[in-house]
Amino acid sequence: MKRIYDFSRNPAMRNFTVADLKALKGSGRQLSMANPADRNEIKACVDAEIDLFVVGTDQMEDVRELAPAIFTGAGSSWAQFGSDDEIVAHAYEAMRRGADMYYTLRSFDVMEWMASEGIPVQSHIGLIPTFSHHCGGLRAFGRKAEEAMQIWETIKRMEDVGVFAVEAECIAEEVLTAVNGKTSIVTFSLGSGPGGDAVFSFVADICGEVSEEGKPPKHAHAFGQVGRLHKQIHDERVAALGEFHREVAAGNFPYAETNIGMFAGEKEKFLEALDHWTPTHQ
């Protein structure tokens, strides 16, 4: 655990610093990385001792409350902001909130601008779902030598503009293993084999929550069955609500034991007063 000052100059502790992650390259030690989406998932990731987090910027307060020492990246989607000024301003905001790096898909110029201001920049190579239209849909990358060289050239360009880390998504494992040893950039492997500096997976995939299509992607491996529990909870909820509806419709609910009664003798007093009540003013 390292003592640091965060980007708002608040004293803090971190399990890893930027320098630590760079120094781990080539060490043989591989870190775990996940994306907790709410307070419950943050707590679960902390209890499970996940090494690195990546979250939305609006989650940073929760992360710093519940996981104050975990190295955490934040960022924005490609279309979230229109101008370069807006995206850089958002990067500053994320860092002020306690982020340790900032994720962006914007141009090399914007990445260089952020890096030159001291912001640890994370970007993305391989399959970038946001740009899936450009590459013919969701698919793997680097399975042919020509495309593998394009990945290498992209990561070197990122290195040249000061990018600190990249998410390497759905790249042939041989490619990531080869390029990772030739770049100073820290790599987070998502579906790209064991050759990255950290292995990243989505909390929903790790925990076995069913995707929208009902079929997880090839690289997703469920280590739990939370989806089954969600279904059990849903079924129990429907059963309870249905029984409530039927009992109300039948005139059976509320049950006597769930009702509140008056104290002994008070009902008679109340009914007599009610029968004799007259308004005090018209």
Side-chain angles (χ1 to χ4, degrees), residues 50-65:
I50 299 296
D51 293 311
L52 311 172
F53 293 174
V54 58
V55 301
T57 299
D58 59 355
Q59 295 173 259
M60 282 309 309
E61 283 78 7
D62 287 339
V63 169
R64 287 300 162 234
E65 176 190 344

Side-chain angles (χ1 to χ4, degrees), residues 168-247:
E169 182 170 354
C170 294
I171 293 171
E173 61 177 300
E174 300 95 330
V175 177
L176 182 58
T177 298
V179 302
N180 194 43
K182 296 179 178 294
T183 179
S184 62
I185 291 179
V186 177
T187 60
F188 307 136
S189 173
L190 173 59
S192 300
D197 301 305
V199 175
F200 170 54
S201 192
F202 297 109
V203 170
D205 291 338
I206 296 168
C207 296
E209 300 184 57
V210 179
S211 68
E212 292 179 4
E213 299 80 14
K215 182 180 179 182
K218 182 179 185 298
H219 62 263
H221 180 83
F223 293 87
Q225 298 184 17
V226 174
R228 183 188 66 183
L229 298 178
H230 284 327
K231 186 178 186 307
Q232 289 176 349
I233 291 170
H234 174 75
D235 291 345
E236 286 288 331
R237 185 172 284 127
V238 171
L241 290 168
E243 184 66 13
F244 162 74
H245 168 72
R246 288 186 291 273
E247 287 293 87

Side-chain angles (χ1 to χ4, degrees), residues 262-276:
M262 298 183 75
F263 292 125
E266 295 299 317
K267 176 182 176 181
E268 292 76 12
K269 294 178 186 177
F270 166 65
L271 293 178
E272 182 179 357
L274 189 62
D275 287 341
H276 293 88

Side-chain angles (χ1 to χ4, degrees), residues 140-159:
F141 278 74
R143 303 184 88 169
K144 293 184 177 180
E146 182 180 0
E147 192 169 72
M149 282 304 300
Q150 291 172 358
I151 292 169
W152 166 244
E153 290 168 0
T154 299
I155 201 169
K156 288 304 290 183
R157 178 75 185 278
M158 289 178 175
E159 185 178 85

